[in-house]
Amino acid sequence: MFDSIGWVEILIIVVAGLFILGPERLPSAAAWLGKTVRQVREYATGAREQLKQEMGPEFEQLRKPLEDLRELRNFDPKRAVAKHLFEDPEPTTKSNGYPASTSPPAPEQRPLAPGERPPYDPDAT
């Protein structure tokens, strides 16, 4: 839920709360907010547990489409095509986001011996 909020945004919210509520009411407002968030989480967990108990194994079948939708957030068309058409288990990108190298490694090169002529390819000229 709060994946996109960084420390700078939290600091801005705290400073704005300090100006709006004042230093006297800010601790009580923070305590109220924490208690309310905790209570909402408990309600959500209780509702989920109650659904699990009432539905039994059908609850997992209900969650499957939701997990599929969650996977669509990270959808990469190139990876999806490679996975479904070619069953390619190797990732198409590195962890830094750049494409992974798919070319074969270059053959090992050695220095020419004294008097040895360099290789010549008549098709390349």
Side-chain angles (χ1 to χ4, degrees):
M1 179 175 170
F2 295 109
D3 293 339
S4 62
I5 295 179
W7 289 106
V8 174
E9 289 88 358
I10 292 174
L11 181 65
I12 290 172
I13 290 172
V14 168
V15 170
L18 186 61
F19 280 117
I20 293 170
L21 298 174
E24 303 86 28
R25 290 186 283 173
L26 188 62
S28 62
W32 175 83
L33 181 65
K35 185 172 51 172
T36 304
V37 168
R38 197 174 314 116
Q39 191 174 17
V40 168
R41 282 185 181 173
E42 289 174 6
Y43 288 152
T45 303
R48 183 175 47 231
E49 293 299 323
Q50 185 177 3
L51 276 174
K52 272 186 183 177
Q53 289 175 355
E54 290 180 7
M55 294 182 69
E58 296 168 353
F59 182 74
E60 294 302 322
Q61 293 174 354
L62 178 68
R63 286 187 55 182
K64 177 75 170 114
L66 295 176
E67 290 174 6
D68 292 342
L69 286 175
R70 193 173 299 142
E71 288 178 11
L72 285 178
R73 293 166 96 192
N74 300 328
F75 181 71
D76 179 15
K78 187 175 182 181
R79 190 177 316 144
V81 169
K83 178 182 174 188
H84 291 291
L85 292 180
F86 305 115
E87 294 296 322
D88 184 18
E90 297 180 15
T92 57
T93 58
K94 295 180 184 177
S95 61
N96 61 4
Y98 288 100
S101 174
T102 57
S103 61
E108 187 177 323
Q109 296 181 355
R110 60 173 182 79
L112 296 175
E116 181 181 4
R117 297 185 73 190
Y120 175 72
D121 186 6
D123 294 331
T125 57

